[in-house]
Coordinates of all heavy atoms in Angstrom, one line a residue:
M267 N 9.6 37.2 -27.4 CA 10.8 38.1 -27.1 C 11.3 37.7 -25.7 O 12.5 37.6 -25.5 CB 10.4 39.6 -27.1 CG 11.6 40.4 -26.8 SD 11.2 42.2 -27.0 CE 12.8 42.9 -26.4
I470 N 13.8 45.8 -13.0 CA 13.6 46.5 -14.3 C 12.1 46.6 -14.6 O 11.6 47.6 -15.0 CB 14.3 45.8 -15.5 CG1 15.8 45.5 -15.2 CG2 14.1 46.5 -16.8 CD1 16.6 46.7 -15.2
Q471 N 11.4 45.5 -14.3 CA 9.9 45.5 -14.5 C 9.2 46.7 -13.7 O 8.4 47.4 -14.2 CB 9.3 44.2 -14.1 CG 7.9 44.1 -14.4 CD 7.3 42.6 -14.1 OE1 8.0 41.9 -13.4 NE2 6.2 42.3 -14.7
W472 N 9.7 46.7 -12.4 CA 9.1 47.8 -11.5 C 9.4 49.2 -12.1 O 8.6 50.1 -12.2 CB 9.8 47.6 -10.1 CG 9.5 48.8 -9.2 CD1 8.4 49.0 -8.5 CD2 10.4 49.9 -9.0 NE1 8.5 50.2 -7.9 CE2 9.7 50.8 -8.2 CE3 11.6 50.3 -9.5 CZ2 10.2 52.0 -7.8 CZ3 12.2 51.5 -9.1 CH2 11.5 52.3 -8.2
F473 N 10.7 49.3 -12.6 CA 11.1 50.6 -13.1 C 10.3 51.0 -14.3 O 9.8 52.1 -14.5 CB 12.6 50.6 -13.4 CG 13.2 51.9 -13.9 CD1 13.3 53.0 -13.0 CD2 13.5 52.1 -15.2 CE1 13.7 54.2 -13.4 CE2 14.0 53.3 -15.6 CZ 14.1 54.4 -14.8
A474 N 10.1 50.0 -15.2 CA 9.3 50.2 -16.4 C 7.9 50.7 -16.1 O 7.4 51.5 -16.8 CB 9.3 48.9 -17.3
S475 N 7.3 50.1 -15.1 CA 5.9 50.5 -14.8 C 5.8 52.0 -14.4 O 4.8 52.6 -14.6 CB 5.4 49.6 -13.6 OG 6.1 50.0 -12.4
K476 N 6.9 52.6 -13.9 CA 6.9 54.0 -13.6 C 7.0 54.9 -14.9 O 6.7 56.0 -14.9 CB 8.1 54.4 -12.7 CG 8.0 54.0 -11.3 CD 9.2 54.2 -10.5 CE 9.9 55.5 -10.8 NZ 10.5 56.1 -9.6
Y477 N 7.6 54.3 -15.9 CA 7.9 55.1 -17.1 C 7.0 54.8 -18.3 O 7.4 55.1 -19.4 CB 9.4 55.0 -17.5 CG 10.1 56.1 -16.7 CD1 10.6 55.9 -15.5 CD2 10.2 57.4 -17.3 CE1 11.2 57.0 -14.8 CE2 10.8 58.4 -16.6 CZ 11.3 58.2 -15.3 OH 11.8 59.3 -14.7
S478 N 5.9 54.1 -18.1 CA 5.2 53.7 -19.3 C 4.6 54.8 -20.1 O 4.2 54.7 -21.2 CB 4.1 52.7 -18.9 OG 3.2 53.2 -18.0
N479 N 4.5 56.0 -19.4 CA 4.0 57.2 -20.2 C 5.1 58.1 -20.7 O 4.8 59.2 -21.1 CB 3.0 58.0 -19.3 CG 1.8 57.2 -19.0 OD1 1.3 56.5 -19.9 ND2 1.2 57.3 -17.8
A480 N 6.3 57.7 -20.6 CA 7.4 58.5 -21.1 C 7.2 59.0 -22.5 O 6.7 58.2 -23.3 CB 8.7 57.8 -20.9
R481 N 7.6 60.2 -22.8 CA 7.5 60.7 -24.2 C 8.8 60.5 -24.9 O 8.8 60.1 -26.1 CB 7.1 62.2 -24.1 CG 6.5 62.7 -25.4 CD 6.2 64.1 -25.4 NE 7.4 64.9 -25.1 CZ 7.5 66.2 -24.9 NH1 6.4 66.9 -25.0 NH2 8.6 66.8 -24.7
D482 N 9.9 60.9 -24.2 CA 11.2 60.7 -24.9 C 12.2 60.0 -23.9 O 12.1 60.3 -22.7 CB 11.9 62.1 -25.2 CG 11.0 63.0 -25.9 OD1 10.7 62.7 -27.1 OD2 10.5 64.0 -25.4
I483 N 13.1 59.2 -24.4 CA 14.1 58.6 -23.6 C 15.5 58.8 -24.3 O 15.5 58.5 -25.5 CB 13.8 57.1 -23.3 CG1 12.5 57.0 -22.6 CG2 15.0 56.5 -22.4 CD1 12.1 55.6 -22.2
F485 N 19.6 57.8 -24.5 CA 20.6 56.8 -24.1 C 21.9 57.4 -24.4 O 22.2 57.8 -25.5 CB 20.5 55.5 -24.9 CG 19.2 54.7 -24.6 CD1 18.0 55.1 -25.1 CD2 19.3 53.5 -23.8 CE1 16.8 54.4 -24.8 CE2 18.2 52.8 -23.5 CZ 16.9 53.2 -24.0
G498 N 20.2 49.6 -27.2 CA 19.1 49.8 -26.2 C 18.0 50.7 -26.7 O 16.8 50.5 -26.5
K501 N 15.8 48.9 -29.3 CA 14.8 48.0 -28.6 C 13.7 48.8 -28.1 O 12.5 48.4 -28.1 CB 15.5 47.3 -27.4 CG 16.5 46.2 -27.8 CD 15.9 45.0 -28.4 CE 15.8 45.0 -29.9 NZ 16.8 44.8 -30.8
M502 N 14.0 50.0 -27.4 CA 13.0 50.8 -26.8 C 12.0 51.2 -27.9 O 10.8 51.0 -27.8 CB 13.6 52.0 -26.2 CG 12.7 53.0 -25.5 SD 11.9 52.2 -24.2 CE 13.3 51.8 -23.1
K503 N 12.5 51.9 -28.9 CA 11.5 52.5 -29.9 C 10.7 51.5 -30.7 O 9.5 51.7 -30.9 CB 12.2 53.6 -30.7 CG 13.2 53.1 -31.7 CD 13.8 54.4 -32.4 CE 15.3 54.4 -32.1 NZ 15.9 55.6 -32.5
I505 N 9.6 48.5 -30.0 CA 8.5 47.7 -29.4 C 7.6 48.6 -28.5 O 6.5 48.2 -28.2 CB 8.9 46.4 -28.7 CG1 10.0 46.7 -27.7 CG2 9.4 45.4 -29.8 CD1 10.4 45.5 -26.9
S506 N 8.1 49.7 -27.9 CA 7.3 50.5 -27.0 C 6.8 51.7 -27.7 O 5.9 52.4 -27.1 CB 8.1 50.9 -25.8 OG 9.0 51.9 -26.1
Y507 N 7.3 52.0 -28.9 CA 6.9 53.2 -29.6 C 7.1 54.5 -28.9 O 6.5 55.6 -29.2 CB 5.4 53.2 -30.0 CG 4.9 51.9 -30.7 CD1 3.5 51.5 -30.6 CD2 5.8 51.0 -31.3 CE1 3.1 50.3 -31.2 CE2 5.3 49.8 -31.9 CZ 4.0 49.5 -31.8 OH 3.6 48.3 -32.3
I508 N 8.0 54.5 -27.9 CA 8.4 55.7 -27.2 C 9.6 56.3 -28.0 O 10.6 55.5 -28.3 CB 8.9 55.4 -25.8 CG1 7.7 54.9 -25.0 CG2 9.4 56.7 -25.1 CD1 8.0 54.4 -23.5
S510 N 13.0 57.5 -28.7 CA 14.2 57.5 -28.0 C 15.4 57.7 -28.9 O 15.3 57.4 -30.1 CB 14.4 56.1 -27.3 OG 14.9 55.2 -28.2
L531 N 13.7 60.9 -19.0 CA 14.6 59.8 -18.6 C 15.9 59.8 -19.5 O 15.8 59.7 -20.7 CB 13.8 58.5 -18.8 CG 14.6 57.2 -18.4 CD1 15.1 57.2 -17.0 CD2 13.7 56.0 -18.6
I533 N 19.3 57.5 -19.8 CA 19.9 56.3 -19.4 C 21.4 56.3 -19.9 O 21.7 56.4 -21.1 CB 19.2 55.1 -20.1 CG1 17.7 55.1 -19.6 CG2 19.9 53.7 -19.7 CD1 16.9 54.0 -20.3
M560 N 19.0 56.9 -15.1 CA 19.3 55.5 -14.9 C 20.7 55.2 -15.3 O 21.1 55.7 -16.4 CB 18.3 54.7 -15.7 CG 18.6 53.2 -15.7 SD 17.3 52.3 -16.6 CE 18.1 50.7 -17.0
P595 N 19.6 44.4 -19.4 CA 18.6 45.3 -18.7 C 17.9 46.2 -19.7 O 16.7 46.5 -19.5 CB 19.5 46.1 -17.8 CG 20.7 45.3 -17.6 CD 21.0 44.6 -18.9
L596 N 18.5 46.5 -20.8 CA 17.9 47.4 -21.8 C 16.9 46.7 -22.6 O 15.8 47.2 -23.0 CB 19.0 48.1 -22.7 CG 20.0 49.0 -21.9 CD1 21.0 49.6 -22.8 CD2 19.2 50.0 -21.1
Q597 N 17.2 45.4 -22.9 CA 16.2 44.6 -23.6 C 15.0 44.4 -22.8 O 13.8 44.5 -23.2 CB 16.8 43.2 -23.9 CG 18.0 43.2 -24.9 CD 18.6 41.8 -24.9 OE1 18.5 41.0 -24.0 NE2 19.4 41.6 -26.0
L598 N 15.2 44.1 -21.5 CA 14.1 43.9 -20.5 C 13.3 45.2 -20.4 O 12.1 45.2 -20.3 CB 14.7 43.5 -19.2 CG 15.2 42.1 -19.1 CD1 16.0 41.9 -17.8 CD2 14.1 41.0 -19.2
L599 N 14.0 46.3 -20.3 CA 13.3 47.6 -20.2 C 12.3 47.8 -21.4 O 11.2 48.2 -21.2 CB 14.3 48.8 -20.1 CG 13.7 50.1 -19.7 CD1 13.0 50.1 -18.4 CD2 14.8 51.2 -19.7
G600 N 12.8 47.6 -22.6 CA 12.0 47.8 -23.8 C 10.8 46.9 -23.7 O 9.7 47.2 -24.0
Y601 N 11.1 45.6 -23.3 CA 10.0 44.6 -23.3 C 8.9 45.0 -22.3 O 7.7 45.0 -22.6 CB 10.6 43.2 -22.9 CG 9.6 42.2 -22.6 CD1 9.0 41.5 -23.6 CD2 9.1 42.0 -21.3 CE1 8.0 40.5 -23.4 CE2 8.1 41.0 -21.1 CZ 7.6 40.3 -22.1 OH 6.6 39.4 -21.9
Y602 N 9.4 45.3 -21.0 CA 8.4 45.6 -20.0 C 7.6 46.9 -20.3 O 6.4 47.0 -20.0 CB 9.0 45.7 -18.6 CG 9.4 44.4 -18.1 CD1 10.7 44.1 -17.7 CD2 8.4 43.4 -17.9 CE1 11.0 42.9 -17.1 CE2 8.8 42.1 -17.4 CZ 10.1 41.9 -17.0 OH 10.4 40.7 -16.5
L603 N 8.3 47.9 -20.9 CA 7.5 49.1 -21.3 C 6.5 48.8 -22.4 O 5.4 49.3 -22.3 CB 8.5 50.2 -21.8 CG 9.1 51.0 -20.7 CD1 10.3 51.9 -21.3 CD2 8.1 51.9 -20.1
S604 N 6.8 47.9 -23.3 CA 5.9 47.5 -24.4 C 4.7 46.8 -23.7 O 3.5 47.1 -24.1 CB 6.6 46.6 -25.4 OG 5.7 46.2 -26.3
V605 N 5.0 45.9 -22.8 CA 3.9 45.2 -22.2 C 3.0 46.1 -21.4 O 1.8 46.1 -21.4 CB 4.4 44.1 -21.2 CG1 3.3 43.4 -20.4 CG2 5.1 43.0 -22.1
S606 N 3.6 47.0 -20.6 CA 2.8 47.9 -19.8 C 2.0 48.9 -20.6 O 1.0 49.4 -20.1 CB 3.7 48.7 -18.8 OG 4.5 49.6 -19.5
R607 N 2.4 49.1 -21.8 CA 1.6 50.0 -22.7 C 0.6 49.2 -23.5 O -0.1 49.7 -24.4 CB 2.5 50.7 -23.7 CG 3.3 51.8 -22.9 CD 4.5 52.3 -23.7 NE 4.2 53.1 -24.8 CZ 4.2 54.4 -24.9 NH1 4.4 55.1 -23.8 NH2 3.9 55.0 -26.0
G608 N 0.5 47.9 -23.2 CA -0.5 47.0 -23.9 C -0.2 46.8 -25.4 O -1.2 46.6 -26.1
L609 N 1.0 46.8 -25.8 CA 1.4 46.6 -27.2 C 1.7 45.2 -27.6 O 1.9 44.3 -26.7 CB 2.5 47.5 -27.5 CG 2.3 49.0 -27.2 CD1 3.6 49.8 -27.4 CD2 1.2 49.6 -28.1
D610 N 1.7 45.0 -28.9 CA 2.0 43.6 -29.4 C 3.5 43.5 -29.5 O 4.2 43.9 -30.5 CB 1.4 43.4 -30.8 CG 1.5 42.0 -31.2 OD1 2.3 41.3 -30.7 OD2 0.7 41.6 -32.1
V611 N 4.1 43.0 -28.4 CA 5.6 42.9 -28.3 C 6.3 42.3 -29.5 O 7.2 42.8 -30.0 CB 6.0 42.2 -27.0 CG1 7.5 42.1 -26.8 CG2 5.3 42.8 -25.8

Side-chain angles (χ1 to χ4, degrees):
M267 183 176 177
I470 305 286
Q471 184 173 19
W472 168 83
F473 184 70
S475 66
K476 283 174 43 148
Y477 270 88
S478 59
N479 291 324
R481 199 185 57 186
D482 308 294
I483 301 181
F485 292 75
K501 286 291 89 73
M502 179 63 62
K503 66 185 119 190
I505 54 173
S506 77
Y507 312 156
I508 297 174
S510 81
L531 177 58
I533 301 176
M560 167 173 164
L596 300 180
Q597 296 170 340
L598 290 167
L599 186 62
Y601 172 84
Y602 284 125
L603 274 169
S604 177
V605 172
S606 66
R607 288 161 72 93
L609 301 172
D610 189 341
V611 179

